[in-house]
Amino acid sequence: MSTKTSSPSFSRRDFLRTSSLAGGGLLIGFNLFTACKSDVKPPIDLANLNYKDFNAFIKIAKNGAVTIFSPNPEIGQGVKTAMPMIIAEELNVAWDKVFVRQGVLDTNNYTRQVAGGSQSIRFGWDALRQTGATAKQMLMNAAAARWQVDASELSVSDGVVTNAAGESLGYGELVDDAAKLEVPEGVTLKEPKDYTIIGTDQINVDMDKIITGKPLFGLDYKVDGMVYAAVLRPPAFGQELESFDATDAKAMPGVIDVIKIGAKARTLLEKEEVNWTAQLSPSEKVVVIAKTTWEAFQAKKAIKAQWKEASTLESTEYQDQKLNELLDGKDFTTLREDGDVNKAFAQADIVLEQTYESPFLPHNCMEPMNFLADVTKDKIQLVGPVQTPEDAANTVSELLGRDIGDIHLEMTRQGGGFGRRLYGDFVYEAAEISDTIGKPVQLVSSREDDMTTGVYRPAIKYRIKAAIKDGQLTGYQLKEAAVNGNMYGLIPNFFPAGAIENYRVDVANYDSNITTGAWRAPYTNFLAYAEQSFFDEIAEAMEVDKVQLRLDLLEKVKGTTDERIQYDPERLQGVLKMAVDKSGWGKAPEGTYQGVVAYYCHNTHVAEVADVQIENGMPVVKKVTCVVDCGIVINPLGANNQIVGGVIDGIGHAMYGQFGFKDGVPTSNNYDTYRLIRMKEAPVVDAYMIQNELSPTGLGEPTLPPAGGAVANALKAATGKRIYKQPFMADPDFWKVPNEQILG
């Protein structure tokens, strides 16, 4: 349940500081998790700064310049801007005088520098504020000592401390004195009403570099003597390399060598202790080493490889059959069971049951997978875009049999992550290649490599069943069947858990050769559509208002003592009521059809209303009204971008994302055969954020899952027919138009 912002207690041992910076100054930071090692000291060399968890470090130079180091991977979610804003707010410095730098990884002492789950701001909120407030108090104490007054008599504004006599000292004049003082405890944090930075629109700190093409991304990184690598992987999932002939490839321009890798990965897999983010392949691979990426790509096509067939090379039809068998079978794991669901169905006046289907989906990051590795006898330099840098460093250490202390990993800005870069397969390939050839190498994947040899959202089917007795919803059962399992498993404590007396959630999966994993908004990206579409169907069967059904069910959860429930019924009601009001729900002009959803995931409450029209027999999503309750909004400009992007991404994949397999080979390998939403198809998104003083939660993912449900419900209003399978546009018979028109 929700809690208001608080002033957490941090001990002196949690605070880190040093004044031993070149040129003088103060470097300070906070250990954000008290379970971390207490004897860790921050490094002195700013060129090789290391961090702990979501540690925030501040460098204040003698000239007053403030540099805030952002330790988390930046994948477009805006943490490189928002996290420093939180520190700057409590530090009381002018935002336009703050410099932000990306941090690096220290695998010796620090953990959990991760981008995933929309959790960075949520986990960092208290300690980031504490970092800024404690630093400010140290500087005020230094000024008080110099003036021989009590610190309570001083005021601070924009990095300047002022006393009652009107005298002032800038932070830069105080840093050396502050570094000699005791770290204060129990500092006072600002009240939200006093914020001057938090809650204001701030442009992404990397924006100028992004729009002018300055080096920021993994593909931009270059070192002297670097070569390029392209990897030939098995064309079908489950195959393994038997032999290859690289004679023609080696004769091509720019080709330096053709090698084989994979033996080290196979050995590591045999230990059965590999981290879940590794996604190591059991097959050996052929690698082209060349002077340029283009030359490596071209030579890779000339390699003649023989592949050993797997016992099962899956096709979409096979997967469909296996998932149906799971739904019809009895081999399920029950994640939650309240009451007696079977009894509720047996006594029901009406029993509804529907099955919802979704395909595999690739991630399609704008920047294809890439990484630079420079392995020498003294050190291992790793540079590039990865969401789990510590896991990557640890696995490279195990893969190459090297001490973790030899590894230095730098994070670049990432051209999209969406869960794909949680998995470090491309990092390990780059490391093994560099270790083999003894040169710095940048591994680069083509779009075809990314789409056909990647990690996918698993194909999933949900079977949902509801019991209605005497006009009341008395039973609810949700079954999930997923290829390889749905990543973290279905979340059984989201809505409608707690609102229905007899409630059960079951999951089952079968193991596949196809690599699957997290895809933006894991476990909810498809579930939200299925459940919210089904809730509309329940309302129709009960002959009640769709919005009122949701509000009434949420009312039953208020005051619950069930600590398993993760959502807040009042907050979910709040976003739903505002979405109904702001969208003009029920008052749409003729020819405009609306669909509504209310959903909670990744700690954030969201409601959306989609406005759909039918033009030339085809659905057009005109507008989506989206209301979000994510607590205090750090950067409204960045938050709005996340909301809009999530909605459009959710609509695009729900309507058009079609991906399958034929004998283990993906049916699409580039955008000419894989349909994405077009710019002209993107709707207007009216975004609203509930204003409150609750601790902030995430925004990178929560607006994506509800979007598909809102559109599906609007399409039912428009056509009179329900859609039970994604993508919505996959069936030309449904729309009575040629398939070519659907594909665009």
Side-chain angles (χ1 to χ4, degrees):
M1 294 296 181
S2 306
T3 57
K4 287 199 172 186
T5 59
S6 60
S7 298
S9 176
F10 287 75
S11 67
R12 286 190 179 91
R13 73 171 191 160
D14 296 318
F15 200 79
L16 308 176
R17 63 174 181 166
T18 178
S19 59
S20 303
L21 297 176
L26 179 66
L27 176 64
I28 53 181
F30 241 100
N31 295 340
L32 302 198
F33 293 90
T34 57
C36 298
K37 299 176 183 179
S38 61
D39 58 348
V40 175
K41 302 300 180 186
I44 295 171
D45 183 2
L46 285 180
N48 295 288
L49 267 177
N50 303 315
Y51 304 89
K52 176 176 183 178
D53 293 334
F54 295 90
N55 273 1
F57 284 91
I58 310 166
K59 176 193 172 186
I60 304 174
K62 283 190 172 183
N63 63 3
V66 176
T67 301
I68 299 177
F69 296 88
S70 181
N72 281 40
E74 174 60 69
I75 56 174
Q77 80 279 43
V79 295
K80 192 175 177 181
T81 303
M83 294 179 84
M85 284 177 67
I86 298 170
I87 298 171
E89 178 68 73
E90 294 289 351
L91 185 60
N92 264 21
V93 292
W95 179 247
D96 60 1
K97 298 296 190 294
V98 171
F99 301 91
V100 178
R101 284 180 56 179
Q102 178 66 57
V104 299
L105 177 74
D106 177 353
T107 55
N108 286 323
N109 300 309
Y110 308 135
T111 61
R112 296 188 64 180
Q113 286 179 266
V114 175
S118 301
Q119 300 297 302
S120 297
I121 295 297
R122 177 173 173 253
F123 279 131
W125 170 246
D126 286 334
L128 291 169
R129 289 187 299 153
Q130 194 79 15
T131 295
T134 303
K136 179 183 72 176
Q137 190 63 54
M138 290 175 68
L139 292 159
M140 291 178 68
N141 291 348
R146 187 177 296 188
W147 286 321
Q148 296 185 345
V149 298
D150 192 278
S152 63
E153 301 176 16
L154 308 181
S155 62
V156 180
S157 178
D158 290 344
V160 177
V161 183
T162 304
N163 62 22
E167 298 173 300
S168 62
L169 290 168
Y171 280 176
E173 300 173 85
L174 295 167
V175 288
D176 284 347
D177 291 348
K180 302 170 186 175
L181 300 179
E182 284 291 321
V183 176
E185 290 185 351
V187 298
T188 301
L189 302 181
K190 282 186 177 182
E191 293 292 330
K193 63 181 177 60
D194 298 322
Y195 290 159
T196 59
I197 297 176
I198 292 175
T200 63
D201 290 340
Q202 301 300 336
I203 296 173
N204 187 307
V205 294
D206 286 335
M207 186 57 69
D208 286 344
K209 291 181 179 179
I210 291 172
I211 63 178
T212 57
K214 296 292 192 304
L216 273 175
F217 299 90
L219 288 172
D220 296 325
Y221 199 91
K222 303 212 173 16
V223 297
D224 292 340
M226 183 177 78
V227 295
Y228 294 85
V231 180
L232 179 64
R233 304 174 181 88
F237 283 89
Q239 290 180 330
E240 294 189 24
L241 181 67
E242 250 183 2
S243 63
F244 69 97
D245 181 356
T247 304
D248 293 342
K250 288 182 176 181
M252 295 180 70
V255 174
I256 298 169
D257 200 359
V258 177
I259 64 172
K260 183 171 67 173
I261 64 168
K264 289 183 171 66
R266 186 194 296 270
T267 300
L268 196 56
L269 282 170
E270 290 172 354
K271 295 181 180 179
E272 298 183 350
E273 297 178 355
V274 182
N275 188 285
W276 67 271
T277 62
Q279 287 289 10
L280 293 170
S281 168
S283 175
E284 294 182 309
K285 302 155 196 165
V286 185
V287 182
V288 176
I289 312 297
K291 295 178 181 179
T292 67
T293 302
W294 175 253
E295 289 167 331
F297 284 174
Q298 295 305 106
K300 188 176 74 167
K301 298 175 184 177
I303 295 172
K304 300 178 180 66
Q306 299 296 318
W307 305 95
K308 182 170 65 176
E309 295 294 335
S311 57
T312 301
L313 292 176
E314 295 180 28
S315 294
T316 300
E317 295 77 13
Y318 171 86
Q319 296 154 356
D320 189 68
Q321 176 187 341
K322 293 290 289 184
L323 293 177
N324 284 336
E325 290 174 358
L326 288 174
L327 287 177
D328 294 334
K330 297 181 180 180
D331 187 15
F332 276 85
T333 298
T334 298
L335 299 183
R336 176 168 174 149
E337 185 169 16
D338 300 340
D340 190 334
V341 171
N342 292 334
K343 183 178 179 180
F345 290 136
Q347 296 178 347
D349 300 325
I350 301 172
V351 175
L352 291 177
E353 182 176 289
Q354 298 295 354
T355 300
Y356 299 82
E357 306 175 41
S358 71
F360 286 88
L361 284 181
H363 293 82
N364 288 313
C365 303
M366 181 70 74
E367 178 191 20
M369 300 305 106
N370 67 90
F371 223 80
L372 181 136
D374 184 7
V375 180
T376 69
K377 65 178 182 178
D378 298 319
K379 67 175 182 64
I380 299 175
Q381 177 86 356
L382 301 173
V383 185
V386 62
Q387 291 178 239
T388 51
E390 183 182 5
D391 286 353
N394 284 333
T395 302
V396 168
S397 171
E398 295 176 18
L399 184 75
L400 302 184
R402 294 284 293 270
D403 189 281
I404 190 67
D406 293 345
I407 298 176
H408 176 76
L409 190 149
E410 296 180 35
M411 293 168 281
T412 62
R413 192 178 181 92
Q414 302 176 40
F418 313 119
R420 174 60 182 96
R421 287 187 163 99
L422 289 170
Y423 308 99
D425 48 303
F426 48 94
V427 182
Y428 318 132
E429 289 176 347
E432 187 172 355
I433 295 167
S434 179
D435 186 52
T436 301
I437 67 175
K439 294 180 180 179
V441 61
Q442 186 179 71
L443 179 149
V444 182
S445 293
S446 66
R447 178 60 57 194
E448 290 80 3
D449 292 331
D450 249 7
M451 198 174 288
T452 61
T453 62
V455 179
Y456 308 94
R457 184 188 79 172
I460 302 172
K461 291 194 178 188
Y462 290 117
R463 183 167 291 169
I464 314 179
K465 192 174 180 180
I468 301 170
K469 175 70 174 177
D470 298 330
Q472 298 296 314
L473 181 58
T474 58
Y476 189 92
Q477 182 180 14
L478 177 64
K479 284 186 176 181
E480 175 193 83
V483 178
N484 292 332
N486 188 10
M487 184 53 190
Y488 304 110
L490 195 65
I491 297 300
N493 300 313
F494 290 178
F495 180 74
I500 304 169
E501 182 178 359
N502 304 293
Y503 174 83
R504 191 165 80 208
V505 176
D506 299 318
V507 296
N509 68 277
Y510 82 88
D511 294 331
S512 168
N513 288 322
I514 297 167
T515 51
T516 61
W519 189 92
R520 190 176 185 183
Y523 50 74
T524 59
N525 49 56
F526 172 60
L527 173 61
Y529 145 69
E531 287 200 301
Q532 289 294 311
S533 180
F534 190 64
F535 264 97
D536 265 28
E537 200 159 343
I538 292 173
E540 291 166 3
M542 293 174 63
E543 298 182 347
V544 298
D545 181 80
K546 299 176 178 66
V547 173
Q548 196 60 48
L549 172 64
R550 292 169 169 87
L551 292 174
D552 289 345
L553 287 171
L554 288 166
E555 196 68 28
K556 294 181 179 181
V557 190
K558 290 182 179 178
T560 182
T561 57
D562 186 349
E563 295 182 354
R564 297 173 297 172
I565 300 299
Q566 296 184 26
Y567 63 94
D568 185 318
E570 292 187 21
R571 296 177 77 176
L572 200 50
Q573 283 182 331
V575 292
L576 178 56
K577 290 176 181 178
M578 182 179 283
V580 166
D581 177 59
K582 296 295 185 181
S583 67
W585 171 256
K587 303 173 185 176
E590 185 176 355
T592 298
Y593 305 90
Q594 294 183 308
V596 64
V597 300
Y599 202 69
Y600 166 90
C601 67
H602 296 85
N603 309 107
T604 294
H605 302 76
V606 178
E608 296 180 19
V609 175
D611 290 6
V612 171
Q613 296 178 6
I614 305 297
E615 298 178 359
N616 300 318
M618 299 284 284
V620 179
V621 183
K622 291 292 188 178
K623 184 178 77 169
V624 174
T625 303
C626 182
V627 179
V628 174
D629 184 347
C630 61
I632 292 172
V633 179
I634 309 303
N635 182 3
L637 178 62
N640 186 80
N641 292 339
Q642 290 296 308
I643 291 170
V644 173
V647 170
I648 294 174
D649 196 12
I651 291 172
H653 282 93
M655 293 187 72
Y656 306 111
Q658 180 66 48
F659 194 83
F661 292 85
K662 179 67 174 176
D663 296 330
V665 179
T667 54
S668 298
N669 67 4
N670 211 318
Y671 295 136
D672 58 338
T673 54
Y674 182 77
R675 177 78 154 86
L676 291 169
I677 191 170
R678 314 287 198 250
M679 289 184 68
K680 65 180 181 180
E681 295 164 339
V684 172
V685 179
D686 288 344
Y688 299 90
M689 288 163 267
I690 299 284
Q691 301 298 314
N692 57 44
E693 295 183 1
L694 301 173
S695 296
T697 54
L699 268 181
E701 296 165 293
T703 64
L704 182 149
V711 171
N713 289 337
L715 291 176
K716 166 58 168 62
T719 65
K721 296 184 288 186
R722 288 212 168 272
I723 301 175
Y724 298 102
K725 185 175 183 178
Q726 287 188 357
F728 303 155
M729 302 302 295
D731 186 358
D733 293 333
F734 187 95
W735 300 108
K736 307 300 182 185
V737 293
N739 200 50
E740 292 76 14
Q741 186 176 348
I742 289 176
L743 291 176

